Amino acid sequence: MRVVHPTPDYPQLLRGADLRVTRPRVAVLGAVHAHPHADTESIIGAVRADLPEVSHQAVYDSLRTLAAAGLVRRIQPAGSVARYEARIGDNHHHLVCRSCGTVVDVDCAVGEAPCLTASDDHGFTIDEAEVVFWGLCPACSPTRS
Amino acid sequence: MRVVHPTPDYPQLLRGADLRVTRPRVAVLGAVHAHPHADTESIIGAVRADLPEVSHQAVYDSLRTLAAAGLVRRIQPAGSVARYEARIGDNHHHLVCRSCGTVVDVDCAVGEAPCLTASDDHGFTIDEAEVVFWGLCPACSPTRS
DNA sequence: TCCGTTTTCTTGAATGAGTCAAGAAACGGT
DNA sequence: ACCGTTTCTTGACTCATTCAAGAAAACGGA
Ligand SMILES: [Mn+2]
Ligand SMILES: [Mn+2]
Ligand SMILES: [Zn+2]
Ligand SMILES: [Zn+2]
């Protein structure tokens, strides 16, 4: 079995979401695909490798638009700035290092989205169950003998 | 069976955590007990009912110290300012309204803390599994017939 | 109770991610 | 190519939270 990861056609993804295709949006979408869980500043840096003149506001606007359209997901672990990823629609979860802030993906252990049911929904209409595992990454863990 | 909720002895709680007993700390601890999931601004307001002259910085410092000592828990759902609660040590979870930001408690549906195990820990040393259910509270839900 | 040391609080300024707003440029349907 | 609409640029601004320096309070020992 062979899993293929063709480079996504970003303009097509944008059109499919009824969004205008602009150079900043294409570059931002590409940067998010290339740098999972990157924060806005990193994305601005990556985008400027292609478009040296993009404004930070264009990146902020693009990220917001892409997130609203469901083309990217925005996450924000407590104490962190916003981070973005292109892995969407699979309700996966995250492992966050308390020391360095590194974020890694964790497949949902239970099932489909939402993967968990609240014991008492208090009358809420729940649409997502977000799980964040906190701890220390290998690099930040105290070395054992 | 009778469940009693005696008013906690805040000075004693502080001493037990090896913290100096100061008026701001006692008041902040009381405010967090009285107003679960309140944000810092609300806590400042509540504390000033007792101590009209406390500085906002004293409240920020107290909250940080109390959280570090484990006497209160700090939560910060994405897009929200920091919120604090005194219900600690039971690994309960939260239900957050996407519209008004209301936070309510949800008992852990699975078990003891951490109530979940990551499918792959990537070498991390995990110490907490945080679950946030997102949705709309009854007041914010579109009314049905 | 008084003292000295240490911690905490007050005051005021600073930080920084993110937003707002107005005009210029780009997109895309005709 | 033209034109109406959306998006981008520029620059100012917000606001939760932090930083820093000196004044006040806490507390263990005398
Ligand atoms: Mn992810
Ligand atoms: Mn709670
Ligand atoms: Zn780490
Ligand atoms: Zn609500």
Side-chain angles (χ1 to χ4, degrees), chain A residues 12-138:
Chain A
Q12 202 51 48
L13 282 176
L14 289 166
R15 285 190 205 98
D18 265 309
L19 297 178
R20 286 195 179 182
V21 179
T22 67
R23 310 232 295 159
R25 284 180 180 170
V26 172
V28 167
L29 194 46
V32 174
H33 275 260
H35 304 97
H37 311 131
D39 61 20
T40 307
E41 184 169 295
S42 304
I43 292 167
I44 290 173
V47 167
R48 286 188 175 151
D50 291 311
L51 303 173
E53 305 301 315
V54 266
S55 64
H56 73 128
Q57 189 62 262
V59 175
Y60 273 102
D61 286 349
S62 297
L63 286 170
R64 175 196 294 232
T65 301
L66 295 175
L71 294 182
V72 306
R73 173 147 81 124
R74 175 189 166 123
I75 62 172
Q76 188 167 24
S80 165
V81 297
R83 293 166 176 272
Y84 298 86
E85 66 181 340
R87 181 176 165 185
I88 50 170
D90 68 345
N91 188 239
H92 71 277
H93 303 306
H94 294 109
L95 200 40
V96 183
C97 177
R98 289 190 192 277
S99 174
C100 67
T102 294
V103 176
V104 302
D105 288 332
V106 180
D107 289 332
C108 179
V110 181
E112 293 304 304
C115 73
L116 294 170
T117 308
S119 53
D120 175 358
D121 68 10
H122 291 261
F124 278 55
T125 306
I126 298 174
D127 63 67
E128 183 188 350
E130 178 184 17
V131 182
V132 177
F133 296 95
W134 293 92
L136 290 177
C137 73

